[in-house]
Amino acid sequence: MEKEEILAEIKSLLVKQFELEEEQITPEANLFTDLDLDSIDAIDMVVFLQKKTGKKFSPEQFKTVRTVNDVVEVVYQITHS
């Protein structure tokens, strides 16, 4: 998956699962302060991304994730390693 595809998948997930408006979901949007996700929501997002990519993610890989773009970068790195 390329970064644009990853971003599109994340946007789709956030709109469908967390009932966010697509306009809210920008690469700079903070998952916790701007999009109001909590730790359980973050886990749900990681599980979805693992299923979508077929890759396992470790908690350490997501420890510093704060923005939508951070998620895109981590998923991109994992899928291209």
Side-chain angles (χ1 to χ4, degrees), residues 28 33 48 51-52 61 70:
E28 301 81 24
T33 58
F48 169 84
K51 288 179 183 175
K52 190 73 179 170
Q61 292 168 306
D70 292 343

Side-chain angles (χ1 to χ4, degrees), residues 17-18 24-25 38 43 51 55 64 66 73 79:
Q17 293 291 95
F18 304 111
Q24 293 176 274
I25 308 164
D38 61 26
I43 292 169
K51 288 179 183 175
K55 303 276 187 179
T64 60
R66 296 288 175 262
E73 290 297 326
T79 57

Side-chain angles (χ1 to χ4, degrees), residues 9-70:
E9 288 293 336
I10 292 168
K11 279 187 175 187
S12 176
L13 165 72
L14 293 171
V15 168
K16 290 177 186 169
Q17 293 291 95
F18 304 111
E19 300 175 357
L20 296 171
E21 297 295 324
E22 191 169 343
E23 299 80 40
Q24 293 176 274
I25 308 164
T26 64
E28 301 81 24
N30 185 291
L31 298 170
F32 307 105
T33 58
D34 297 331
L35 303 180
D36 204 28
L37 300 184
D38 61 26
S39 57
I40 301 298
D41 296 333
I43 292 169
D44 290 343
M45 182 171 56
V46 169
V47 169
F48 169 84
L49 292 168
Q50 287 182 141
K51 288 179 183 175
K52 190 73 179 170
T53 63
K55 303 276 187 179
K56 287 283 189 189
F57 304 154
S58 71
E60 292 80 33
Q61 292 168 306
F62 278 88
K63 195 164 38 175
T64 60
V65 167
R66 296 288 175 262
T67 67
V68 172
N69 194 57
D70 292 343

Side-chain angles (χ1 to χ4, degrees), residues 1-10 53 71-73 75-77 79-80:
M1 293 175 82
E2 294 305 315
K3 290 182 181 181
E4 297 81 22
E5 294 172 289
I6 296 167
L7 179 59
E9 288 293 336
I10 292 168
T53 63
V71 178
V72 171
E73 290 297 326
V75 173
Y76 183 81
Q77 289 173 7
T79 57
H80 286 83

